[in-house]
């Protein structure tokens, strides 16, 4: 329409407002979580039994996304 001004949609990202340091720590934590989950999955059945875990427990943990941090709920 004549004389109508356009508008801009503003989309907030999940990281908007985070400092670079906080973002770096988040990425480092995600990397650590992935590494720990891969190490857990590589343990033998005997080692898992010593920890009181089953293969089902490990598989449940292994398939979780890297950003799903149980320590930050």
């Amino acid at each position: 329409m004549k004389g109508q001004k356009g508008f801009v949609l503003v989309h907030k990202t999940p990281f908007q407002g985070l400092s670079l340091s906080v973002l770096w720590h988040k990425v480092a934590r995600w990397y650590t979580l992935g590494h720990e989950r891969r190490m857990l999955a590589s343990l033998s059945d005997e080692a898992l039994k010593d920890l009181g875990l089953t293969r089902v427990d490990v598989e449940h943990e292994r398939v979780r996304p890297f950003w799903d941090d149980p320590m930050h709920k």
Side-chain angles (χ1 to χ4, degrees), residues 14-41:
F15 304 112
Q16 193 169 356
L18 291 179
S19 71
L20 191 55
S21 173
V22 171
L23 184 59
W24 176 255
H25 286 290
K26 236 183 214 317
V27 170
R29 173 67 180 151
W30 290 340
Y31 176 80
T32 303
L33 274 175
H35 181 69
E36 289 173 355
R37 288 174 178 160
R38 286 187 298 276
M39 286 177 50
L40 183 64

Side-chain angles (χ1 to χ4, degrees), residues 53-65:
L53 298 172
T54 65
R55 276 283 157 210
V56 174
D57 297 331
V58 171
E59 184 63 19
H60 178 73
E61 185 66 25
R62 189 190 66 79
V63 298
R64 290 173 73 176

